[in-house]
């Protein structure tokens, strides 16, 4: 399996990218094609790692302050070259660089699955239960139509079932209330479309797939496995969760630092704190898959550390092994088939 890793554009430079690749190679077998500034990379690549990776020298990259459309003209930038390699035979791509550039080039060069209105970014959200909730879109499409949300539901369902291995995953539409009448004009129309979609709208079974509207707290209660929303709302939800988790962690650290009793309690509750950290740490989820394009593309956070890159590579491998892109193609063939 050939995985392309864009080394450029991350907040902390090439080091965490290289460390993440090294850690992933220690547990999984794959060919790593690392695209970026070879001079900077060689400083951090050990003698043991060197024979296991291929480095494509591309010092140019799209800076975070630049427009996503700039990537279309910069044919020697790391993400443009990396996407070319993906198009011409590689199996997946991981990037912690400019997310807009990555999404734009993936759509243009790799192409959307036939029938998909818009690709969507999805991410795993922590929950109080054993399995996380999947939320999409979390930033690819700030302005959406109702039919886009139906596509997000189909893609989220397939990803939850194929990649995450959830048996009989359920879907909810994020709204401002659980009642069928709640929501804005777009979500009300999306509710109708998802309800009428044959696979989701069959309420004759004891556990229908589409559960209707859900609220923000349902994300963490794991009321449903897949939470559907537009990219504007989803991105706000994602950033709010990240900020809340970080703030809670800071409060705990400050209290523990200034109180002996709190230090003693923290020692006794270390196992619980470790579980909480693992569930709320973005690094454990790796990155956000871009669903709806024909090959696996994982977009990681700009501040990704080595663990985040390692987990993003695992996501890419699992997406390829599960054949999720092919299964989505079949799902959208079904969606486009004339009704009997």
């Amino acid at each position: 399996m050939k995985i392309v890793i864009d080394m450029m554009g991350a907040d902390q430079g090439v080091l965490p990218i290289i460390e993440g690749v090294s850690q992933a190679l220690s547990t999984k077998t794959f060919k790593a094609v690392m695209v970026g500034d070879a001079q900077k990379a060689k400083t951090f690549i050990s003698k043991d790692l060197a024979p296991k990776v291929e480095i494509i020298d591309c010092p140019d990259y799209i800076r975070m302050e630049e427009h996503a459309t700039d990537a279309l003209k910069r044919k020697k930038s790391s993400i443009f070259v990396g996407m070319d390699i993906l198009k011409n035979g590689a199996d997946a791509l991981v990037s912690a660089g400019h997310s807009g550039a990555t999404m734009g080039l993936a759509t243009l060069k790799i192409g959307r699955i036939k029938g998909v209105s818009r690709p969507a970014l999805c991410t795993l959200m922590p929950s109080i239960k054993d399995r996380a909730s999947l939320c999409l879109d979390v930033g690819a499409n700030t302005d959406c139509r109702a039919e886009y949300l139906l596509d997000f539901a189909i893609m989220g369902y397939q990803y939850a079932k194929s990649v995450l291995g959830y048996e009989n995953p359920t879907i909810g539409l994020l709204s401002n209330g659980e009642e069928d009448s709640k929501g804005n004009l777009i979500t009300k129309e999306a509710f109708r479309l998802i309800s009428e979609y044959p696979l989701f709208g069959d309420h004759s079974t004891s556990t229908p797939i589409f559960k209707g509207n859900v609220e923000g707290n349902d994300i963490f209660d794991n009321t449903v496995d897949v939470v559907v929303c537009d990219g504007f709302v989803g991105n706000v939800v994602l950033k709010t969760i990240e900020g809340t988790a970080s703030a809670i962690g800071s409060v705990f650290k400050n209290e523990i630092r200034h109180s002996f009793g709190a230090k003693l309690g923290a020692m006794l509750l270390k196992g619980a704190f470790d579980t909480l950290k693992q569930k709320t740490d973005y690094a454990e989820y790796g990155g956000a898959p871009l669903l709806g394009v024909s090959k696996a593309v994982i977009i990681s956070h700009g501040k990704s550390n080595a663990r985040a890159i390692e987990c993003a590579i695992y996501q890419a491998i699992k997406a390829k092994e599960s054949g999720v892109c092919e299964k989505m193609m079949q799902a959208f063939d079904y969606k486009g088939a004339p009704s009997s």
Side-chain angles (χ1 to χ4, degrees):
M1 190 182 296
K2 184 187 287 188
I3 310 293
V4 182
I5 300 98
D6 178 13
M7 290 191 289
M8 307 301 287
D11 296 353
Q12 300 175 57
V14 301
L15 179 57
I17 312 297
I18 294 168
E19 289 178 337
V21 172
S22 179
Q23 288 165 198
L25 282 167
S26 69
T27 62
K28 297 284 185 180
T29 301
F30 63 96
K31 181 176 182 180
V33 181
M34 302 173 69
V35 185
D37 191 322
Q39 286 300 113
K40 289 181 179 178
K42 285 175 182 176
T43 305
F44 303 109
I45 292 179
S46 65
K47 290 181 180 179
D48 291 337
L49 181 61
K52 300 177 183 178
V53 300
E54 178 184 356
I55 299 176
I56 307 295
D57 187 30
C58 290
D60 185 32
Y61 67 97
I62 310 302
R63 275 71 176 172
M64 292 298 182
E65 64 273 13
E66 293 182 289
H67 293 293
T69 52
D70 292 346
L72 305 178
K73 311 167 194 171
R74 303 262 284 279
K75 296 185 179 182
K76 294 186 178 179
S77 66
S78 61
I79 189 59
F80 195 103
V81 172
M83 207 63 74
D84 262 346
I85 298 169
L86 178 62
K87 179 182 178 180
N88 294 311
D91 296 296
L93 179 143
V94 173
S95 176
H98 196 300
S99 58
T102 305
M103 288 186 286
L105 284 171
T107 304
L108 180 71
K109 298 180 77 63
I110 307 305
R112 285 178 289 168
I113 290 170
K114 184 180 178 181
V116 173
S117 303
R118 293 288 188 280
L121 278 174
C122 77
T123 190
L124 294 175
M125 297 289 194
S127 82
I128 59 175
K129 297 182 182 177
D130 291 336
R131 64 191 200 184
S133 301
L134 185 69
C135 184
L136 74 163
D137 178 23
V138 292
N141 308 276
T142 52
D143 296 301
C144 285
R145 298 176 181 175
E147 52 265 34
Y148 299 176
L149 299 185
L150 170 59
D151 287 358
F152 299 165
I154 296 170
M155 293 189 290
Y157 175 82
Q158 290 297 333
Y159 193 85
K161 193 172 183 179
S162 301
V163 179
L164 303 180
Y166 291 179
E167 189 175 353
N168 302 318
T170 54
I171 298 168
L173 181 64
L174 190 61
S175 189
N176 61 333
E178 295 179 354
E179 297 83 6
D180 295 0
S181 59
K182 289 295 181 75
N184 57 25
L185 292 175
I186 292 173
T187 56
K188 286 178 180 178
E189 175 62 11
F191 186 101
R192 184 187 67 79
L193 291 176
I194 299 172
S195 297
E196 292 177 357
Y197 186 65
L199 179 62
F200 302 151
D202 182 6
H203 290 269
S204 62
T205 62
S206 57
T207 55
I209 293 171
F210 181 51
K211 298 290 187 180
N213 287 334
V214 295
E215 298 179 278
N217 59 289
D218 292 312
I219 296 172
F220 312 104
D221 290 343
N222 195 226
T223 304
V224 293
D225 298 306
V226 179
V227 178
V228 175
C229 57
D230 66 60
F232 179 84
V233 170
N235 195 259
V236 171
V237 168
L238 177 62
K239 297 292 174 58
T240 301
I241 291 170
E242 289 176 348
T244 302
S246 177
I248 290 172
S250 296
V251 169
F252 273 123
K253 286 178 183 177
N254 288 334
E255 288 298 315
I256 291 168
R257 191 180 297 119
H258 295 109
S259 167
F260 176 76
K263 288 179 183 177
L264 184 61
M267 290 175 62
L268 295 172
L269 292 171
K270 185 178 183 304
F273 282 131
D274 288 345
T275 300
L276 177 64
K277 182 180 184 301
Q278 186 175 19
K279 282 199 170 192
T280 58
D281 187 358
Y282 76 93
E284 295 299 320
Y285 301 105
L290 181 64
L291 304 185
V293 292
S294 300
K295 287 192 172 183
V297 174
I298 309 296
I299 298 177
S300 295
H301 206 298
K303 66 179 182 181
S304 290
N305 56 22
R307 176 61 177 167
I309 298 301
E310 177 188 3
C311 291
I313 292 171
Y314 296 154
Q315 273 203 57
I317 291 171
K318 202 166 183 182
K320 174 60 181 176
E321 288 178 341
S322 69
V324 67
C325 291
E326 292 76 13
K327 289 173 183 175
M328 284 189 188
M329 290 176 191
Q330 293 171 7
F332 279 90
D333 278 345
Y334 169 80
K335 179 194 173 194
S339 57
S340 56

